[in-house]
Structures are given as C-alpha cells and as structure tokens.
Amino acid sequence: MKNFWFDYTDVKFEKKLSIALWMGCTTALRRPELAARVYDVIYVFENVTIFKNELCCGIPSFYAGDVEGYLKSLQRIIAMIQDKKIKVIVSPCPSCVRALRELPKIFNISLPFKVFHVVEYLWDILSKRNFDLKTNRRIVATYYDPCGLGRHLGVFKEPRLIISSINNVELVEMKKSLNESRCCGSRGLYLGLIQIELLT
C-alpha cells in the first residue's frame, strides 16, 4: 500500500544497489506525488534503489512511549537493510532519519549503514561534483526551517547551500529562522498518525 507513489514516476527501479531511498509513511501515504519527485531529483544525480516492502521507522511507537515497540521495529529494519546489503539510506522524512540515525544512539545500538536526510545527501553530491545549476530568470527565495529537520536534527546549512548554489537565485532569510524558526502548527507526526490511522 505504501508504494502506490511508484505510479507517479516513470523511472525504472534497480534492485542491486548499495544506496537506498527510504520514503517514510507520511510522505508515501499522504504525498505520493512528492515522494515521486524526491526520487526523480535524486535520480538525476545518483541511482538509488527502493524497498518494495518498506516498514514503518517505529518513531510513532517511541513518541507514544512504547520503547519496546520501537526497538522491535528497529531490529526488523536493520535486518532488512543488511539482507539487501545496503550501505547508505537516504530519506526525505526527518522523523525517519531521527528514528534510524539518532535514536539508536540512545540505546547504544551501532548501525551497519549510514543515514542521511535527502538535503544532506544532495549537498554532499553537489559539493563534490561540478554541476552547473541555474534558472533562466532571477528568483528571490527564502527557506523555512521545519522543526523536525532543524531543531531535532540540526540540519540548517545544507538547504541554504543548495539554494545558494543555483545561479540567479538570491536567498533571503526570514526574520525568524534557524533555531528561532516558528512551528508551522501542523503538528507534524501527530497529524500524520491520524491520516495513517484513517487510511488503514
């Protein structure tokens, strides 16, 4: 059910790769067209595989106080990723990145793979290769720091570096940005949990 976003892209998926895209429940279920665009953008720079049986990252259980449930989910995910010999996980979902990269540290669990948010991964590629990114008209842009990516993961510089690397794009900061960025009020994971519950 999570993979109906496949219908929104024409890109053919390859199976035997060491880098995998982990879409996350909220992106895959609520915004399948966004999931497809994320894949399309990544594919321009790097070929990545996907999981046709992608599991929930387990962070809803953790936030609900079910630590045991989260740890069980994490162990299943680790086993699945190891089975496919994946070395790098890339995700557009800050909650998934937190569940698969940051929370395991609390429990002294070492992971046999690396986890990146998509903007971290894209900037790593752009900073090492000579891509000429440009737009034909001048654009003044700003960037909003979402709570999950900013305050929770500390990812502030990469989105700005990506925007600033595009010719003819001027980045202007909001009055409240970085750690002082205002919450969007959408309740993030909690709204997503309600939607997922309705879908299932």
Side-chain angles (χ1 to χ4, degrees), residues 45 124-133 165 167:
F45 302 101
D124 185 63
I125 292 173
L126 292 172
S127 64
K128 293 176 180 177
R129 305 183 197 175
N130 188 25
F131 289 104
D132 184 22
L133 302 180
S165 71
N167 291 327

Side-chain angles (χ1 to χ4, degrees), residues 11-14 38-48:
V11 175
K12 303 300 181 183
F13 303 112
E14 292 189 35
V38 168
Y39 184 85
D40 291 343
V41 169
I42 287 287
Y43 188 79
V44 169
F45 302 101
E46 193 83 68
N47 198 352
V48 296

Side-chain angles (χ1 to χ4, degrees), residues 142-147 151 160 174 176 181-185:
T142 192
Y143 175 75
Y144 167 73
D145 293 284
C147 299
R151 280 187 284 269
R160 291 168 169 82
M174 298 182 186
K176 295 285 186 178
S181 177
R182 297 184 184 278
C183 175
C184 71

Side-chain angles (χ1 to χ4, degrees), residues 26 28 42 77 90 94 97 108 141 154 159 161 169 174 179 192 195:
T26 302
I42 287 287
I77 291 169
V90 181
V97 174
N108 295 315
L161 289 169
V169 175
M174 298 182 186
N179 276 315
Q195 296 292 333

Side-chain angles (χ1 to χ4, degrees), residues 99-114:
L100 300 180
R101 184 174 78 188
E102 302 302 320
L103 295 185
K105 298 174 185 176
I106 298 174
F107 303 99
N108 295 315
I109 297 174
S110 59
L111 302 175
F113 50 85
K114 294 183 178 180

